[in-house]
Amino acid sequence: MSETTFMGVPREKIPWYPTIDYDKCNFCMECDKFCPHQVYEHREGDKKLVVANPNNCVVFCRACGKTCGPDAISFPSKSEILTLIKNLRTEEMVG
Amino acid sequence: MKRAILSCSGMDKQMGSLARELAIRLNEKTGDEIVCPTLLASIPARYEELLKAASLIVIDGCNTRCASKLANRCNAKVERKILVSEAARDLGIDPESGLTPGPNGLKLVAQLLQDVERDLGEEASSGSSVMELAPPEDFLIVTHDKYQFKIPKEGFLFNENDSWARAFGAKARVGVSDYVQQKLTDITYFEPPALNADVEQFGELGTIESTKSLLEIVSPVTGKVTAINLELTDNPGLINEDPYGAGWIAEVELTDLESDKELLLDGEAYAEIVKRKAAEDAG
């Protein structure tokens, strides 16, 4: 997935992915069952679920968060990410 | 159509107990029958007749959305959904913990009751004055295995999140693409954006749910929501049948289309994105 782009910007330059609040997460794994892009992976130990592949996350998709009972998943601000994408696009064009 | 109310049982978390409280108050105001979630789950036949005749107001406490899932499992018709935890966040109300509703919790319930009563009243009286737009005629076809994805050649602009905008005058009609409706499969519920709400480009314009998945509709344009396709409330499957026509989502009064266009794709460019996505889906 490393060659993928979003709006012409390399995906890995866009910090859009879920963050798990481990104080709230009950490891029901609904988000992982929901996400078809293998963003999450299971682990041994305290943190039984991790955001293993952040760049697989679809930019501006927050659907897994809507499946989270304890509301433990957050995403960055869309407008901040959008500003960043616009700036990166300008750079790409200039560069 | 007759209405009935299905809510969270309210026995697990505080948001659930508020969902239950809202269901009781709505029943007191409207007289609509309450469907007991536990009874429905254990003896579905008890409500078979009612669910055939009525559409549901579904009230979920938290994102686990048990009531929604139950409604889905029973193939019930859903007219309106309320998610209490989300509403609490949107309204900036922080309910007390514990299963007995406290003052903040009750304030939230009162507010939601008022909102839902107003919306149901508006829907009953709203005369649709939506302009007829001619259906697109020429399509690009992206073929992948047995699938064919149609993309209108002219007049539609897309974002990479599979939404389209069709500008007319100072407005745009917005919807989702043929590719994404096929990927979702049978769409069972449409949660509209709020009328008159301001939406940013890439902001949320409601959600659609299918038996398989859930999609946040990512707005292709910035502006104010001036119309919602109310047909979708009764028949969300229109999005599957006619994603570029009768299955439109909303209309937006445009703030600055020229600026939006910077991040939008024409049909040809979007076809390339669909090719890539379809190949990735196939794995």
Side-chain angles (χ1 to χ4, degrees), chain A residues 1 4-8 30 34 37 58-63 65-69 71 78 82 86 89, chain B residues 62-65 69 86 89 160-161 183 201-204 207 213-214 216 218 262-264 276 280:
Chain A
M1 300 279 278
T4 55
T5 57
F6 183 82
M7 301 309 305
E30 285 293 326
F34 173 84
H37 303 285
V58 175
V59 178
F60 297 135
C61 177
R62 299 186 289 204
K66 292 179 194 283
T67 70
C68 176
D71 204 12
K78 279 193 175 184
L82 192 57
K86 284 185 180 169
R89 281 167 60 89
Chain B
C62 75
N63 267 336
T64 308
R65 301 187 305 150
K69 285 175 188 163
E86 192 175 75
R89 205 168 36 232
E160 279 196 36
N161 298 86
K183 192 174 164 180
Q201 190 179 31
F202 296 99
E204 181 174 334
T207 53
S213 193
L214 182 153
E216 173 177 335
V218 175
E262 206 186 304
L263 296 172
L264 293 174
R276 191 186 82 195
E280 281 173 13

Side-chain angles (χ1 to χ4, degrees), chain B residues 7 41 52 67 69 98 113 124 127 165 168 193 197 216 222 274:
Chain B
S7 88
K52 263 186 214 152
K69 285 175 188 163
L113 184 64
F168 61 100
E216 173 177 335
T222 300
V274 170

Side-chain angles (χ1 to χ4, degrees), chain B residues 3 9 24 30 37 69-70 76 84 101 107 170 174 182 202 235 267:
Chain B
R3 251 185 227 131
S9 77
I24 294 167
T30 63
K69 285 175 188 163
L70 191 53
V84 175
K107 192 172 128 195
V174 172
Q182 289 194 47
F202 296 99
N235 185 9

Side-chain angles (χ1 to χ4, degrees), chain B residues 139-159:
Chain B
F139 291 95
L140 297 159
I141 310 277
V142 172
T143 308
H144 193 91
D145 292 339
K146 57 180 180 175
Y147 297 102
Q148 286 202 331
F149 306 113
K150 282 176 154 187
I151 300 152
K153 268 187 187 165
E154 305 277 334
F156 286 68
L157 293 165
F158 299 82
N159 65 21

